[in-house]
Every structure is written in C-alpha cells, then in structure tokens.
Amino acid sequence: MEVVESGAESVLLPCRTRPFLPGDATVEWRDGGGRTVHVYQDGSDQPGEQDQLYRTRTRMNKYLLKTGDLSLTLRRPTDGDRGLYTCRVSSRDGDVLMRKQLQNYIQNLQVLLWNCNLGSRTSLVQSVHEPVQNSRRSSCLSSPGVQVDVSSSFCQSEGNWSSVETNWTPAAGHRVQLGTVRSFLLSSLRTFCPAAAAVQEQVEVDSGAESVLLSCRATVQLPGDARVEWRDTRGRTVHVYPDGSDQPGEQNQLYRTRTRMNEDLLKTGDLSLTLRRPTYGDTNIYTCRVSSRDGDVLMKKQVQLEVKVSMVEVDSGTESVLLSWKNKVQLPGDARVEWRDIRGRKVHVYQDGSDQPGEQDQFYRTRTRMNEDLLKTGDLSLTLRRPTDGDRSLFTCSVSRRDGDVLMKKQVQLEVKDHQVEVKKGAESVLLPFTTTPELPGDTRVEWKDSRGRMVHVYQNGSDQPGEQNQLYRTRTRMNEDLLKTGDLSLTLRRPTVRDRGEFRCRVWREEGLLRWKTVQLKVKAGTVQVQPEDTRSSCGSIDPTPLMAHQSV
C-alpha cells in the first residue's frame, strides 16, 4: 500500500523484478478501473495508448528491461488517483511473465504498509516516525516454510522516516498464514527500529468494534499543571489534556469526536485513551507523553494498535458474495447506513426506512442488496451480485445519525480470484465467460481487449462493431444477441492458438463511467479442454483476517 499526501509533487509505485527481461517484453500499468496508466513496448513509452487521465503525468526509468526496475512515477496525485494499480509484464506472444499489484492511498494517512504479488514473492514495508542511524540486516525463519529477510535503513523523506522491508518466499505447497507474517513484521520493527522498540503494549481490535482502549497509567504523582498528550507516529495530535481540561481544538481532524479520557486523570493517574469507531486506517503506534509546564518530559508510553479487517475470498463468476456485519447495538430509526469502496464510491445506501438506489455509483447499481428491517435486527450485511476481479476492494460500512454523527464503522476486504480458462490447442473455439446482472442500459458499450491492449471485440449501439477489431481477431469472435438484456457478456473465440494465451479484459461502460469489469486468463495448451465453470453458488468464505496481501491467481 502506498500512501501519499494529497498535493504532493509525485508518488512512486515500486515494482522490481529480475534484470534482463526479454527485449520484446511489454510493460503495462493499469488502474483499478482498467484504464491504461502507462505502456512501455518495443523499447519506448507508448503515450498514445494511455488513458487521457494519465497523459503527461507518468514516467518510468530508462533501460527498465535491463535493470528490472519497472517502478512508475505518478505526478500530481489527487484523491481521484486512489485505488489498485497493476503492473504486468508480458511476452510478445501474450504470456504473462510477471504481475504486481499496489494499493495507492491519496489522503492524509500515515504510510503504514504496502503489499504486492510477484509470483510467489511478496514484499511489505512499514514506516515509523523515527530515523534509524545505522543500517542493519538480518535473516531468520518466522514459521515453517517461510524464509524472511529483514533490512532496515535510514530513508530521507518528509519527517525523516525509517522503513523496514520484509520479503518472504513460501516453500512449495506451503500455505502461508498472513497473521504470522504480520506478527513477524511487528517483531522486526521492534528489533530494528528505535521507535518500535519503545512500544510497551500491543492492542488488537476487530474493525466494527464500538471503541478500543489504549491504556496508560502513571506510576508517580503528577503535578496539577501537567500536560498529557497522545500522538500517532505521524506526529498528529490525537488528544490533548492541558490545564485541567480537554482541548479538542488542538486535535487533528481525523480524531475529533472520536477520543475520550477520564476525568481527574492527573489525580487518578489513569491516562488511558478511548478511541471510538476504530478502522484499519487507525493501525498505528500511539505515544502518550506527560510533560511539566516548562516542557520536561515526566513520562512516556507507546502502544501499538492493530485493527483487524475480515477478508472474504470468492471466485470470479460466483452468483453473489456476502460482506457480513451483524451487531447487537440498538440503532435509531432515522439512522443512515452507507457502504463505500476504497475509492469512495457509494456501493449501497439505506435511509428513511428504504434503499436509496439513486445515490449508488453506477458500477454497483442492480448488484447490491441489504436485508429488510436491518435497523431492528442489526444485520447490516451487504450482498454483492456477480462479483468480478473489478470488485476487489476494501469496503467500509458507516452508520450515522441524521445530523451526520457517525455511530459505528466496519471494514471488509473483498478478494475476487481471476477467472481461468484452459483450452486444447486446435479446439474449434473457447468461451471466455462473463455473466453480470441483466437489463444494462441501451447505450452501454462492451469492449473485450487482450493483454497488449488490442481490441478483440466491440458491441455498441445494439450491434457488433467489427471495424474496431484488431485484424488478429476479425472473423474469430462472437457474442450473444440481446447481451445487454440478458447480462451474458461472454465472448466466443474461434480457433484459439498459442499466441492467444494471456489476459482478456471485458470493460462495460457508458459516457458517465465504468459499469462492469472482468479479467479472464486464457491458457492454450496440449491436452484435454478444461474450462473453469462459473460457480452459481453463493460464497463468502472467510480467511485469515489480516488484509496485508491479497491472494492472486496468475
């Protein structure tokens, strides 16, 4: 996950692989909406293939195929650039050589961690607000089958941040427990980073909890004019108690209305902080510092808070998936329930006793459902129909009063596996399946493209558009009639050959924006035809509740 301040000059999306990639390899960056961010092909950038949103704003290094540094610099990032970015390297015949994904946050949050998937190798970075003067390196085994290397070095950036990088490679056939990796990462931080080493307590809480307590107790009598201050690792003020009372005006807006400390805390010595509605963004190291009027530090304690987010994993093509949230809190009858994705798009809104489909982003219209009487039952779960890899996201459910006061929040990470199709070389045809909800708008455009961005098939204005096809696919593709009414957007590809191997993406959009998106991995090989069917059962299996790394099928 990459986090950068809105208004920064640029942000780097790191991607590194082995050096000396094939000279005819294509490197392509895409965003979560399937838009082309940057393309490097035939030895040079291809600005003509970029989406206009990114033109003049991206840069990649020279000699990237030789060095293996495929990192992308995105200039002038804004809130609209938030989301999932994918870097894919493919050979001339369409084989995917490497793929990596990054979550990019553009908001005022600390850089806590980022993750990517590069074959079987995954990297994590966690930052703390202290400089590390000396570079050290160590290696150890955190669990059977998981080799972990830890490096720590001084990094010059805003505020002088230190970074700890952990690389792990699972042994063949070994399923890595992500919770184990995170535990080891935190241990590594305490070993190699002075700030983390000072952590005296660790607190874990599930996303959706009403509140969490960060405990701190004084062991000596404190003077009546002492100043008590809680800060996070970015130096943001979480809560301040000077001169015998709270000072909400000094708080960072991220924490306003969400914190509470006990009365008479200087007398009792109980300096604990209650943080309301914790979310994954609150995962942090918090410091409680008590100082005298002249600035002398009387005591200091650090608490590591980890907010766990449940993860749901489902196959692309499944009939539906459930993002579950059930609670026993009595909710007011005028409460507003709102689900949003990581890009801030409204997924579902319930208010005044009914759903509000007019407020939904068109990407989710006709695809969501919530239970009746949800305020009475406390079941705020969301059903998302026909999930695809385009639905991978961190979803947040917020419950608020009519006046806007947020009562509670819950986050769920959804991971949707890529759909894979295998076909025997020489087969008459192969079906790339994509079924979504029916009754799509009549002005919808449906596009299938291959991994090199070549147009495979276009349907618009009620008919196919063969004139827009790449010549490689002309006379070889077919889509069903009335596809907008039925929601069956599957593509039949005739006479598949080895050069057809790779990713095929279907984008469904209108002038207002993206409606649907799905990726299908096609493998053409000798042997029996094997097509992964679209599962018609509902699935919402939970896995390890630590959303550090999304499982990927490549």
Side-chain angles (χ1 to χ4, degrees), residues 149 206 227 280 323 412 429 471-472 524:
D149 296 318
D206 291 328
R227 176 185 175 92
Y280 184 66
L323 307 183
V412 180
S429 65
Q471 60 182 1
L472 180 65
V524 183

Side-chain angles (χ1 to χ4, degrees), residues 13 87 232 323 378 423 473 545:
L13 305 182
C87 178
D232 63 17
L323 307 183
V423 66
Y473 297 103

Side-chain angles (χ1 to χ4, degrees), residues 21 25-29 38-41 60 64-65 70 87-90:
L21 291 167
T26 297
V27 182
E28 184 180 61
W29 280 90
H38 195 103
V39 178
Y40 180 94
Q41 190 176 25
M60 294 185 73
L64 54 92
L65 298 181
L70 311 180
C87 178
R88 186 181 63 250
V89 182
S90 55

Side-chain angles (χ1 to χ4, degrees), residues 336-354:
R336 175 184 173 93
V337 182
E338 185 177 84
W339 281 89
R340 287 180 179 259
D341 64 15
I342 198 170
R343 300 183 67 181
R345 296 177 297 191
K346 291 181 182 178
V347 181
H348 195 103
V349 178
Y350 179 94
Q351 191 174 22
D352 298 327
S354 63

